[in-house]
Amino acid sequence: MRSSSTKQVAENNRGLNGRFFTLRSRLYNALALGLRNDEGGRRWCCTDVETQRHVVRSIDAFLDCISSDTSQHPLVKESLADIIPALGTTLIQKNEAVMKLASKVFVRMISVVPSTILESLVLDVVHPVSSSLSSCHESVVISCATALNLILSSLSSKKEKEVWKILEETETIDNLIHHIRSSGSKPAEFFLETISLLSKILWRFPSSRFGVWNNTALMEVVASLMHEPILSVKASVLQLYSTIALCSNGAEKILNSGNSNSLLQMMVECMNGSNPNYLQLAGFTLAECFSVSEKGRLKMVESYCEPLVKAIVNGLSLHSHSGKLTKEQMSLIKVSCCVSKIICWPGKHHMYFWKLGIESVLVKLLLDDLHIKKLSQFFLSSEDFSTMARDCLSANFLLVIKPHVWDILGGLAAHCAEDFNANMLQNEFYLNILITCACLGFVDSLRSTRQSCRNAVHEPVSRAVLLMIYSPSKYISSMAKSILSGMLKPNAKEDIKYLLNTLNASSSSLSSGVNIVSDNLQVINLISLACYSGLPQYRRYVIKNQGIKILLSFIQKLSSSNHVHGEGLNNNTSKSLHYCDHNMKICCYGCEEDWEGEESFLVFGLLGLAELVHHVGSVKGNNVDWFELTESEMISEVEKICINSCASGSRCYGAYLLSYFGVYGFPSKLGNRIGNVLSGDEDEHKHTNLRLILANQEHVNVHGVIVSVGCPSLLPSEGKTIGRKEIRLSSHVNHQALLKLLEYVYSGHLKAEDEVVKRLKTLAKHCNLQPLLQLLCRNRPKWRTHAPSFDLTPALGPNGSHFSDIVLEAKGNTYEGWMCETCSVSHPHLHAHKAILCASCEHMRALLCSGMQESHSESIKVDLGWEALVRLVNWFYSGKLRPKPKYGCLWHNLNEKEKLDEVIPYVELYCLSDSWLLEELHKECSRVIGSCLDSVKMAIKIIQIGADCFQWDLVELAAKFIAPSYHHLRNSGELLQLDEQLVDIVRVASVRLTQRVHHL
C-alpha cells in the first residue's frame, strides 16, 4: 500500500506523462551546462555556441509537451522561471545562428504559455526581445517583433510603466523606425511585423507617438506604401495611421499633409463591404480616430461623404447578411457604430443616411428578425403595439449596440431638415418602431431614476427622445410627442412633481458646495423635465408647479458654483473616446464635448427653461411667480452664463432664452467693452472714419474697422480709402433698425422692442447675419452648432490694415523670420486701430486721447517682446490669449530652454497687465503660467523675474510649485542663485504645505 506522501505526489503530477518528465530532465541537464556561481547566486551564463544551441533546442522540445491542461502546473511555472533567463541571455549574445533559433522559441513560448503565467516574468522576456530588435538579421527582427506583439496584446496595465521603461532603454521605437524605413527590399512579412509592433506600442503608450509622426522620413515611407496592392500591407498602413491619429497633433499632421486625400480615399475604399473583415476594420478604425476632432470629421464628410456613409451603413448592416456573428464581425459592427456618430454633428451627410434606409438598419440592430416580423404582421392599436414593442426590446439581442442606436437616432432627429417627412423614408413603419422603442426606453429610464437606479445606459435613450421632441422636422417631432404623451399619461403628474422636487433639492446641494455634475441621475432628470416641457399636455402643469422658478434657481446656482466649462492648458491626459466600447488612449485632444459631459447640465436646463418661457405667455407683466429676481436681474443671470461659459451649448441656449426677453445675440466681456464705443463720448467718436447716410439724409458715424469685421455687407466691395468716407444706404434701411444692427455689430448683442424686430429681421437677412436672424426669429439652436464668438482679430490682417491709424512696436529691433504684409518696415510691429485699443484698455485710452505727444504719434513702442505684443493685441481684439502655449506632446518634447521661451511672453504680459490695470488679462496670464510650470529650474527663473519686477504674487505662485522639493533644493545648493528673501518665501511655502498635509 502506497504512503500518503506518495499519493500526494501522484495527485500533484496528474496530467503529466513520462515524456514530460523525460524532456524536463533533459532540459535541466542542458541548463546545468551554463549555470555559473557569482555574488548574486547561481545564474545562467554561457558563451559557447554549441551549448547555447543545445539549450535552446532542449527548451523547444520541452515546450512540445506543454498543453492547455498542463500549462498551469507548478512544475511548468517553475521551469519557466529557469527557461526565460537562459533563453534571454542566449538571445542577446548576438550569434546569428543561435539568435534565429532563440527568437523563434521565444515566439513559441509566448504562444503556448498563458499570459497569466508569463505576467510575473514578462519583464525578463521584454528586455532581451526588445534589445534584439537592433539586429540586422531579418528573421530575428521578425520573430522578436512577433514576440513583443503577442506580449503587448495581453499585457496588464500593472506592468505598463515598467515595460515602457524597458522599451525606452532599448530604443525600440528608433530601431523599428530604422527597419521600416529600410524595408523596401525586404519581404512583406518583415514590414508587416515591424509596423504592427510599432502600431501596438503607439496604441498602448501615448508618449511614444510624437517621435513617430514627427519623423518626416518615416511618414514619407509609410505614405508610399499606401499604393501597395497587397491587402495586408494596406491594413498595416491604416493601422499605423490610426495609432498616430490618437494624438491630436499627429492627426493634424496627417490631415494637413499633401497625401491626406489619397489616404482618405484608401480608407473609404477599404471600408467597403467587398473587402475582408480585417481590412474593413482597419479602415473603420482610422475613420473612428479622425472622427474625434472637428477637423477630421469635416474633412471626411466634405471629401468622401456619400461613399463614407455607404460604407458605414454597410458596416452596420453586416449582421443581416450572416448567421452567428464572429468576434471580428462584432468588432466591425461596433466600430461602424462609432464612426456613424458623425451623425451627431451638423453636415451634409444626414441626407445620405436617410437615402440608404438607415431607419431599417437601426431597427435590425435593435431587434432580432423574429420580433421585427411579429411587429410587422399585425395591425395593432397603439397600446398593443407598445406592449409588443416592449417585449421585443427586452429580448437579449446585441445589448452593447443599443446605446449606439439611440445616439445615432438622436443625431438624425436633431439634424433633420425642417421639411423632412415620410416620403423621404424607405420604410415609415421602421421609423415608427424606432420612436416607439425609444419612448419606451425613456419611460423606463424615468422610472429607474425614481428608484435611484444609476444606469448610464438610460442617458442615450433619454437624450434621443429629447432630440426627437425638439427635432426641426415637424414630422418626427409630432410623432415622438404623440407616442410619448400616451405612454406618460398614467403617471405624468407624479413624475413632474418628483422631477421638480429632485431639482429643487439639487439646487440646495449646489448651494452647500456639493458637486452633482457626475450624477447620471440628475442628467436624466433634467432631460425628462425638458421633455415634459415640450409636451403641450403637461407643460402647463410644470409651470403651475413652479417649474420656471425651480429651473432658474438650479441654473443660477449651477453656473455660480464654477461648473461652467472652461479651457484647459497643457492637458496631455490620456482618455477614452466617450462613445466607444473599447478603450482608445487618445492624447493632446482638448475637450470638444461642449454639448455633453458636465456642460449638459446647463444645456438641458436652459433648453427646458426656454421652452417653458416660450409658452408661458407674454414675458412682461405675467402673473406667474417666476423667481425672486426682477426681469433685469434675470437677464443679467443668463447673460453671465453666456459671458463666462466657453461652451457652445450653454451659450446657444442662453442666447435663445434671452431672445424671449428682447435681448438678441451672444453677450461677451469684449463685446460689452467695444459696444461702449458706439455710444461713447467725444474721444471715441473722433476715431470714426465712415459715415452711413440713409435716404432721408439721416446719418451715423461709425468705425470702419469694426463694421468691416462685424457686417461687411454694409460696406461697398470696391474702393477702399483711408480717412472719412460716406456710404449711402438703400432707401429700405430704417434708421432705428440700423442703429440696432450697429449695436449688434459693435457688441455682439442688442436689445430691441417687438416693433423694431420685424424691420431688423429684413436688415439682418440682407446683411447675411444668420446667427442674429435665427435669434430674431427665435429659432431653436441647432444641436452641436458653434456659438459665434465676438472676435475682431480679422481686422489685424491685410483687409483691416487700410483702417489702421496706429502702429504698435515691440521692444528690440530684430525678430528672426519676421515680415510685415502691409508695409516695408523691417522691425516687429502691428498695424492696429485706436478705437479698439481705447475701448479695450484704459491705459491705451489715456495714452491716445490725452493730447500728449503719444496721441499725435503714428506709432507707439510697447515694453514687450514681439511674442508678448502679439498676445496682448490678440487679447484686445478677441478677449483671448492667442496663440496658446504648445500643449500635449509638443510641450513635453521641448527642452528646458524652449519651455521657458514659451512661458516668458506670458510672464511679460503678467507684469504689464498689472501696471496697466488689466485685471482679466492678469488672471489669465497667471493661469497659463501656473499650468506651464513643470520644472524646478523654470520655477526658480520665474521667481527671480517676478522679484525683479516686484510681482510678488508671481513669486508666490512659483514658490508653491517648488515647495515640496524645498529641502532637497536647499541641500543640493540649487537655491543659491536666489537671495535670502526669496529662499525664505520658498521655505514659508514649504512649511505651509507641510502644515496643510498634516491637517488633512
Side-chain angles (χ1 to χ4, degrees), residues 78-97:
E78 181 184 303
S79 301
L80 286 172
D82 296 321
I83 286 172
I84 290 174
L87 197 56
T89 303
T90 300
L91 185 61
I92 61 177
Q93 291 298 317
K94 305 300 182 184
N95 179 278
E96 179 180 353

Side-chain angles (χ1 to χ4, degrees), residues 959 962-967 985-995:
I962 61 175
S965 309
Y966 167 71
H967 295 289
I985 291 174
V986 178
R987 182 192 62 79
V988 170
S990 175
V991 171
R992 288 173 179 167
L993 176 65
T994 303
Q995 290 174 341

Side-chain angles (χ1 to χ4, degrees), residues 780-825:
R780 193 175 292 112
K782 292 184 179 179
W783 197 252
R784 284 191 182 276
T785 52
H786 286 298
S789 59
F790 190 82
D791 188 356
L792 297 174
T793 51
L796 295 170
N799 292 336
S801 61
H802 63 281
F803 288 115
S804 172
D805 49 9
I806 189 69
V807 171
L808 302 179
E809 297 179 6
K811 66 181 179 182
N813 295 320
T814 60
Y815 185 80
E816 187 177 348
W818 189 89
M819 184 181 297
C820 182
E821 296 179 350
T822 303
C823 67
S824 58
V825 177

Side-chain angles (χ1 to χ4, degrees), residues 572-583:
N572 194 32
T573 306
S574 296
K575 57 182 180 178
S576 299
L577 296 184
H578 74 282
Y579 48 69
C580 294
D581 294 311
H582 55 283
N583 288 331

Side-chain angles (χ1 to χ4, degrees), residues 370-385:
L370 179 62
H371 286 100
I372 294 172
K373 189 175 181 181
K374 281 183 180 179
L375 285 172
S376 59
Q377 278 181 340
F378 302 99
F379 294 97
L380 305 171
S381 66
S382 59
E383 187 176 340
D384 292 337
F385 186 84

Side-chain angles (χ1 to χ4, degrees), residues 426-657:
Q426 283 192 8
N427 194 318
E428 182 183 4
F429 178 70
Y430 278 178
L431 181 59
N432 190 21
I433 292 177
L434 284 173
I435 295 177
T436 301
C437 289
C439 291
L440 287 169
F442 171 85
V443 174
D444 287 343
S445 73
L446 182 55
R447 302 293 179 259
S448 296
T449 57
R450 294 184 64 173
Q451 298 168 12
S452 297
C453 297
R454 299 175 183 274
N455 192 341
V457 175
H458 290 314
E459 187 180 341
V461 69
S462 300
R463 187 169 56 244
V465 171
L466 176 79
L467 294 177
M468 287 192 291
I469 287 175
Y470 292 101
S471 173
S473 164
K474 293 180 181 178
Y475 170 73
I476 290 181
S477 177
S478 60
M479 188 185 296
K481 287 178 180 178
S482 174
I483 293 172
L484 184 62
S485 296
M487 293 181 183
L488 291 173
K489 188 174 182 180
N491 300 292
K493 291 187 177 181
E494 291 80 1
D495 287 341
I496 291 170
K497 285 183 179 178
Y498 164 78
L499 292 170
L500 291 173
N501 289 337
T502 303
L503 284 177
N504 208 15
S506 296
S507 295
S508 302
S509 298
L510 285 166
S511 298
S512 58
V514 177
N515 188 346
I516 68 161
V517 296
S518 59
D519 194 338
N520 180 258
L521 292 180
Q522 294 300 341
V523 176
I524 295 175
N525 286 337
L526 278 169
I527 292 174
S528 301
L529 188 58
C531 287
Y532 265 117
S533 301
L535 300 175
Q537 301 93 317
Y538 310 118
R539 187 185 298 120
R540 183 175 296 276
Y541 193 75
V542 175
I543 296 172
K544 183 180 177 182
N545 283 271
Q546 298 187 311
I548 293 177
K549 178 179 178 180
I550 290 170
L551 263 177
L552 268 170
S553 175
F554 178 83
I555 291 168
Q556 181 197 20
K557 290 172 183 175
L558 182 67
S559 60
S560 63
S561 299
N562 296 320
H563 293 304
V564 177
H565 175 71
E567 296 177 276
L569 289 169
N570 288 334
N571 182 9
N572 194 32
T573 306
S574 296
K575 57 182 180 178
S576 299
L577 296 184
H578 74 282
Y579 48 69
C580 294
D581 294 311
H582 55 283
N583 288 331
M584 293 171 61
K585 296 180 180 177
I586 65 174
C587 63
C588 305
Y589 280 92
C591 182
E592 202 186 58
E593 297 177 2
D594 58 356
W595 285 77
E596 293 187 0
E598 293 184 3
E599 194 62 30
S600 62
F601 283 83
L602 275 177
V603 172
F604 296 135
L606 289 166
L607 187 158
L609 182 58
E611 192 66 15
L612 294 176
V613 170
H614 172 50
H615 289 93
V616 77
S618 174
V619 172
K620 294 183 177 180
N622 195 284
N623 294 324
V624 177
D625 179 20
W626 282 15
F627 201 44
E628 289 84 357
L629 302 180
T630 64
E631 180 183 325
S632 61
E633 289 173 328
M634 206 151 34
I635 291 173
S636 176
E637 287 298 326
V638 181
E639 283 182 336
K640 284 179 187 177
I641 294 173
C642 293
I643 291 172
N644 295 324
S645 177
C646 299
S648 288
S650 300
R651 296 184 67 236
C652 280
Y653 270 99
Y656 175 56
L657 179 55

Side-chain angles (χ1 to χ4, degrees), residues 119 155-162:
E119 185 173 358
L155 182 68
S156 70
S157 57
K158 295 178 183 178
K159 296 287 184 178
E160 276 189 345
K161 286 185 179 179
E162 294 170 285

